[in-house]
Amino acid sequence: MNNPDNNNDRSKTRLAIFASGTGSNTQKIIDYFRNDDNINISLIVCNKRGAGVLQIAERENIPSIVIEKGKFFTDGYVPILQEMKIDWIILAGFLWKVPVSLIQAFPNRIVNIHPALLPKYGGKGMYGHFVHEAVLAAGEKESGITIHYVDEHFDHGETIFQAKCRVDSNDTPDSLAQKIHTLEHRYYPATIRELITTKK
Ligand code: GRF
């Protein structure tokens, strides 16, 4: 583990962020809760060596682990997460399916963000540019974000929050991705806080 946990304050609600990409949402969540009295970003979990999100963990001095597929789909890393007293799991660009072992250990405590208005444009293989390309190809007039609970199916659990943006006729996958990222950054951290505060 990098940056071993030196935060002994167990009175706060402890979040683990699972991410495998550049981590722009992860950075926004860290910034949002940096001085929070009740919520602490306690662990970054990543499945890709060299991913940008690991540099964020390093810079922010947050413990991080790079997970292996075999172990993840066996014990879901549940023992480590429990040992670290993780309360909630926040997915922010994590592409592996979450195993049942993990879902059962954190019932209604795993949240994902998807860059489209589910139930449309979700499911296996629907991530990143594939989502935006499909939205444009279908001639949709709007797209957006969905924050939802995670169950054993891809992009399927109960919706917690959605926000929309317009799709313009000159939008490209890149320009649409930008609009979506703006929505994600604006709403994901605040929705997480709202959820945790009301569920406690
Ligand atoms: C986000 O667009 C999110 O909707 C999806 O993965 C992307 C992660 O982006 N699940 P970033 O790494 O946080 O920039």
Side-chain angles (χ1 to χ4, degrees), residues 40-72:
N40 179 258
I41 309 304
S42 306
L43 179 65
I44 307 285
V45 174
C46 179
N47 64 357
K48 221 156 100 196
R49 252 168 234 294
V53 72
L54 290 171
Q55 289 164 26
I56 295 176
E58 191 65 39
R59 198 173 58 234
E60 298 283 354
N61 209 20
I62 296 173
S64 66
I65 47 174
V66 178
I67 58 173
E68 290 158 20
K69 210 165 201 160
K71 184 169 164 55
F72 188 58

Side-chain angles (χ1 to χ4, degrees), residues 21-25 93 113-115 181 184:
T22 52
S24 71
N25 279 285
I113 188 162
H114 185 76
H181 258 111
E184 292 184 334

Side-chain angles (χ1 to χ4, degrees), residues 118-188:
L118 293 174
K120 283 176 155 185
Y121 308 106
K124 194 169 166 52
M126 271 294 172
Y127 60 89
H129 270 215
F130 297 112
V131 176
H132 309 311
E133 280 159 14
V135 167
L136 291 172
E140 296 284 0
K141 296 282 173 271
E142 59 182 20
S143 188
I145 61 169
T146 304
I147 298 169
H148 65 94
Y149 288 110
V150 171
D151 65 13
E152 44 280 88
H153 308 287
F154 271 120
D155 304 324
H156 181 264
E158 186 192 335
T159 294
I160 297 162
F161 176 88
Q162 288 189 311
K164 293 178 180 171
C165 64
R166 253 179 50 184
V167 177
D168 296 309
S169 55
N170 60 350
D171 264 324
T172 62
D174 272 346
S175 66
L176 188 51
Q178 266 184 31
K179 289 181 187 176
I180 299 281
H181 258 111
T182 303
L183 287 180
E184 292 184 334
H185 297 164
R186 181 185 309 159
Y187 291 114
Y188 203 16

Side-chain angles (χ1 to χ4, degrees), residues 103-114:
I103 291 167
Q104 285 177 348
F106 291 85
N108 282 328
R109 290 287 185 280
I110 309 178
V111 177
N112 183 39
I113 188 162
H114 185 76

